[in-house]
């Protein structure tokens, strides 16, 4: 961890939570520094929402301990609720209230007013101010995001938790929202955000990859990507599904995963270099009547590392 983040905002030790026979968190340990923009990355059902709900004092863990801003989330939950901002995954504001009315209500809950805290939310509020009298239910997805963010910040929290805030919104709104989070982080606010979108990992200072309630990796995005230690080959052809099936019959294939229009291929052999592997794959595919195939090296992403680590954790090679 960088020197800038050595003062902990969150300390999680051996945290476990189950719902019946389903294990949501499995002895999870994690430290997050003050002033950090931290991403929790994983698919649906990985444990992201459970962890956040414990950290904002809405769930009690079955075992382990979570300390947020120096306070235990179980024994000192009342203190913590005034210090954290929380934006849940589902839009949870009052749909029949206007933008201005929602803001006034959430400010009053924390014993303050919108006017007193306007300097704290001004940059975000300016973007929704033209819709101040519009009911929340009538806002676009991007505007709902920004209203919810304003309501989570209106009491000037020391740490902000956001649970999949960009799910279901368009690409432009996603980018604008992450720009806002970057500005908040530059202002010194600690931001903890979960997302299923692997491409959003690069917007964070550090990320944790989570699957099945367990952490697969915790580090800066570039450092996580650097752990990918074998040639990664991209393959494209018009008959994409047949291409996927055919590549999985290559004698030494290890993984073949779809990434948009390109398939990402890795090989079981540790001693094969990228150039040789490209030649072998191109020849193999031409033999299988792929006349339009493209084969070339591709740069690994966080998603490649996630799929690699997940496969190892499950003891399977997709």
């Amino acid at each position: 961890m960088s020197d800038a983040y050595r003062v902990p905002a969150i300390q999680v030790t051996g945290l476990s939570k189950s719902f019946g026979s389903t294990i949501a968190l499995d002895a999870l340990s994690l430290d997050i520094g003050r002033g950090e923009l931290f991403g929790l990355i994983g698919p649906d059902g990985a444990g992201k929402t459970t962890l956040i709900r414990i950290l904002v004092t809405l769930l009690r863990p079955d075992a382990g301990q979570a300390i947020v801003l120096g306070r235990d989330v179980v024994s000192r939950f009342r203190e913590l609720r005034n210090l954290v901002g929380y934006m849940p995954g589902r839009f949870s504001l009052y749909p029949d209230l206007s933008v201005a009315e929602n803001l006034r209500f959430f400010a009053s809950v924390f014993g303050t007013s919108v006017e007193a805290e306007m300097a704290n939310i001004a940059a975000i509020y300016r973007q929704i101010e033209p819709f101040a009298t519009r009911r929340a239910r009538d806002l676009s997805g991007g505007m709902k995001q920004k209203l919810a963010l304003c309501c989570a910040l209106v009491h000037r929290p020391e740490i902000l938790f956001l649970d999949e805030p960009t799910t279901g919104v368009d690409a432009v709104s996603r980018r604008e929202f992450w720009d806002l989070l970057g500005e908040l982080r530059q202002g010194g606010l600690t931001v903890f955000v979960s997302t299923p979108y692997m491409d959003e990992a690069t917007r964070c200072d550090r990320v944790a990859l989570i699957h099945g309630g367990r952490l697969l990796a915790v580090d800066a995005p570039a450092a996580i990507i650097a752990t990918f230690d074998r040639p990664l080959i991209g393959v494209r052809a018009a008959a994409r599904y047949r291409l996927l099936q055919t590549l999985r019959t290559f004698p030494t294939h290890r993984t073949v995963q779809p990434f948009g229009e390109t398939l990402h291929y890795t090989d079981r052999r540790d001693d094969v270099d990228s150039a040789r592997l490209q030649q072998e794959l191109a020849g193999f595919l031409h033999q299988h009547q792929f006349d339009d195939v493209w084969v070339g090296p591709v740069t690994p992403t966080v998603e490649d590392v996630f799929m690699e680590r997940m496969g190892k954790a499950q003891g399977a090679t997709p």
Side-chain angles (χ1 to χ4, degrees):
M1 185 184 297
S2 141
D3 290 342
Y5 308 128
R6 289 191 185 279
V7 179
I10 299 171
Q11 297 170 288
V12 173
T13 307
L15 206 64
S16 296
K17 181 67 180 179
S18 296
F19 299 96
S21 60
T22 301
I23 299 174
L25 298 176
D26 189 3
L28 188 147
S29 296
L30 179 67
D31 287 349
I32 297 167
R34 291 187 186 247
E36 193 169 5
L37 174 49
F38 190 91
L40 185 64
I41 316 292
D44 292 344
K48 303 188 302 295
T49 296
T50 299
L51 177 57
I52 287 180
R53 293 188 71 192
I54 289 173
L55 295 177
V56 299
T57 77
L58 295 179
L59 274 179
R60 292 172 65 101
D62 297 333
Q65 186 180 47
I67 306 294
V68 176
L69 301 175
R71 299 161 177 84
D72 185 276
V73 299
V74 175
S75 63
R76 300 177 68 181
F77 72 94
R78 294 188 186 278
E79 294 175 58
L80 266 177
R81 287 181 179 176
N82 289 320
L83 300 176
V84 304
Y86 173 46
M87 185 173 160
R90 293 183 178 179
F91 184 69
S92 58
L93 305 184
Y94 292 95
D96 290 331
L97 296 183
S98 69
V99 168
E101 289 167 339
N102 267 289
L103 270 172
R104 284 199 297 270
F105 172 77
F106 279 90
S108 68
V109 167
F110 289 98
T112 186
S113 68
V114 176
E115 292 73 22
E117 303 296 341
M118 183 51 71
N120 188 44
I121 61 172
I124 306 167
Y125 182 69
R126 276 196 297 269
Q127 300 180 42
I128 59 174
E129 189 173 13
F131 312 101
T133 60
R134 183 175 297 182
R135 290 184 179 183
R137 69 182 178 202
D138 297 326
L139 296 173
S140 67
M143 290 297 108
K144 284 179 179 177
Q145 273 186 325
K146 291 167 186 175
L147 173 57
L149 185 56
C150 280
C151 290
L153 293 170
V154 74
H155 62 295
R156 205 179 293 266
E158 294 184 27
I159 186 170
L160 177 64
F161 292 91
L162 306 104
D163 190 7
E164 298 192 1
T166 58
T167 299
V169 299
D170 62 88
V172 173
S173 294
R174 281 176 59 192
R175 185 170 60 251
E176 289 177 349
F177 193 83
W178 276 95
D179 289 342
L180 290 173
L181 296 186
E183 292 171 10
L184 292 171
R185 180 249 184 226
Q186 288 295 326
L189 184 67
T190 304
V191 180
F192 184 106
V193 57
S194 73
T195 178
Y197 300 123
M198 301 287 169
D199 60 301
E200 293 183 343
T202 57
R203 304 295 295 266
C204 302
D205 297 311
R206 288 192 307 142
V207 297
L209 307 183
I210 186 170
H211 176 70
R214 296 182 176 182
L215 296 181
L216 304 179
V218 182
D219 211 331
I224 287 177
I225 292 171
T227 65
F228 200 88
D229 60 355
R230 61 184 60 241
L232 183 64
I233 307 301
V235 187
R236 286 196 301 270
R240 186 165 171 269
Y241 182 64
R242 186 167 72 88
L243 178 65
L244 175 66
Q245 292 179 307
T246 304
L247 276 174
R248 286 179 173 171
T249 67
F250 190 74
T252 57
H253 98 275
R254 186 170 184 271
T255 63
V256 185
Q257 298 289 350
F259 283 74
E261 296 181 353
T262 303
L263 302 181
H264 286 194
Y265 174 95
T266 65
D267 200 85
R268 288 200 304 269
R269 295 167 291 177
D270 294 327
D271 59 347
V272 64
D273 62 37
S274 179
R276 175 185 163 193
L277 188 53
Q278 291 172 61
Q279 290 179 346
E280 291 179 352
L281 290 175
F284 174 79
L285 292 170
H286 283 305
Q287 289 175 7
H288 285 77
Q289 287 75 53
F290 286 95
D291 297 326
D292 64 339
V293 72
W294 173 88
V295 179
V298 292
T299 302
T301 66
V302 169
E303 188 169 358
D304 287 298
V305 177
F306 183 89
M307 298 301 293
E308 172 86 4
R309 300 281 181 99
M310 187 177 71
K312 288 181 180 178
Q314 293 175 334
T317 302

